[in-house]
Amino acid sequence: MTHVEDELNSQPECWARVAAGATEHAGVLPTPGERVALVGCGTSYFMAQAAAGLRERAGQGETDAFAASEFPHGRAYDRVVALTRSGTTTEVLDLLGALRGRTRTTAITADPDTPVMTTADDLVVLDFADEKSVVQTRFATTALTLLRAHLGLHTEAVVTDARAALEAPLPEGLVESAQFTFLGRGWTVGLAQEAALKMREAALAWSEAYPAMEYRHGPISVTTRSTATWMLGEAPEGLAEQVRETGATWVSGALDPLAELVRAQRLAVAVAAARGLDPDRPRHLTRSVILDADAR
């Protein structure tokens, strides 16, 4: 079993653990009414998008999400929350350093022995969800589960669905698809982006992601019989039928959207295996992006 498989299989336990202890971190996480920005890079950015959507929908306050390198320094926020598994990502550390003394910051990380520990004002360390793999799975979803539980939006049903996502077989023929498109609505747009990223990282697959209602506005034009279109969450009226008319495979998200992401992670590993690839050794990638001064 690869590191990626081992780590993605442990997600139900990680989610249950972080949800049970969520109140311990309440003092360093956003409070109702605060204007908040969530930031990250790669997978962490997509989790930030999902968390921002959840917080806005819950009526907790204005919440934005940015790639750390694209943070708008001209805007005022009450708190900035950074997601960083490694605690060493250059763009995140640079941003936290720039915000020191003028905006309260919280870092959610997996490693307690990294520079982020002294760069952020407040910290949440999820060391039990740390990973050996380059390709992120459990840390990202555990961090999102923490934020979801903090909002009062996590239930035991989510963990149950995650276990179901690990046990049920993938749809027949899905691994042989040549193109993979993931769709979301609201907070699940970030999950769709992350599902597509997993396919690219682990399996070098042609994968895309869009807000579901935007799919009709151009992207559906490249959909063919070799396309798998996967909806994370409730689909817009009529979209499934329209996709099926192209000859593509439509995959509906019957489970909680975060559990559907687990299914997509499994698909990425399965496609990698079918193509003779090792998901523990993704091409051109490292566990953390650390840039020298000339590359910033």
Side-chain angles (χ1 to χ4, degrees):
M1 182 176 291
T2 65
H3 291 316
V4 174
E5 289 175 284
D6 181 57
E7 290 157 1
L8 74 85
N9 286 334
S10 70
Q11 287 174 111
E13 291 70 30
C14 287
W15 299 359
R17 179 172 174 176
V18 80
T23 56
E24 299 172 13
H25 305 294
V28 300
L29 295 176
T31 59
E34 283 187 329
R35 189 168 190 249
V36 174
L38 294 109
V39 301
C41 298
T43 289
S44 292
Y45 169 43
F46 297 141
M47 295 298 101
Q49 285 184 318
L54 282 171
R55 188 171 186 269
E56 285 255 356
R57 191 175 74 172
Q60 293 272 319
E62 185 175 343
T63 315
D64 297 319
F66 304 102
S69 59
E70 298 298 321
F71 183 81
H73 288 274
R75 296 188 189 180
Y77 290 97
D78 299 308
R79 182 178 294 273
V80 172
V81 179
L83 307 181
T84 170
R85 175 182 65 173
S86 69
T88 60
T89 303
T90 297
E91 298 100 303
V92 172
L93 294 178
D94 285 352
L95 174 59
L96 293 175
L99 293 174
R100 180 172 287 279
R102 62 186 182 91
T103 303
R104 195 77 187 176
T105 59
T106 296
I108 302 176
T109 188
D111 191 338
D113 189 26
T114 57
V116 78
M117 300 296 290
T118 57
T119 309
D121 296 313
D122 299 309
L123 296 159
V124 176
V125 178
L126 306 178
D127 51 355
F128 61 89
D130 202 357
E131 298 161 324
K132 295 180 179 179
S133 61
V134 173
V135 175
Q136 281 200 59
T137 54
R138 74 181 178 195
F139 171 75
T141 60
T142 300
L144 179 56
T145 297
L146 168 65
L147 295 169
R148 199 176 180 187
H150 177 64
L151 294 169
L153 300 176
H154 173 84
T155 68
E156 284 300 315
V158 179
V159 176
T160 299
D161 276 4
R163 294 195 173 103
L166 292 170
E167 295 168 0
L170 293 170
E172 186 175 352
L174 200 61
V175 171
E176 288 74 35
S177 300
Q179 176 197 359
F180 302 89
T181 300
F182 296 91
L183 306 177
R185 302 184 81 179
W187 74 282
T188 71
V189 172
L191 301 186
Q193 292 283 1
E194 171 59 8
L197 180 62
K198 289 287 90 67
M199 296 299 300
R200 292 191 289 272
E201 290 178 329
L204 304 182
W206 175 11
S207 56
E208 302 174 343
Y210 304 96
M213 291 294 287
E214 285 294 302
Y215 190 52
R216 298 181 176 101
H217 295 269
I220 197 170
S221 63
V222 297
T223 301
T224 69
R225 293 184 179 278
S226 62
T227 300
T229 302
W230 192 322
M231 183 71 213
L232 282 78
E234 185 177 354
E237 183 70 27
L239 184 58
E241 291 76 12
Q242 190 171 357
V243 169
R244 291 189 183 104
E245 288 172 0
T246 70
T249 299
W250 173 264
V251 183
S252 59
L255 302 173
D256 180 88
L258 195 55
E260 285 294 320
L261 178 58
V262 175
R263 293 180 73 206
Q265 293 169 347
R266 289 182 56 212
L267 174 63
V269 171
V271 173
R275 297 181 178 186
L277 301 171
D278 182 355
D280 283 343
R281 293 175 174 81
R283 190 170 67 183
H284 310 317
L285 297 179
T286 57
R287 190 173 183 276
S288 175
V289 176
I290 302 174
L291 305 173
D292 58 32
D294 293 337
R296 299 184 188 187

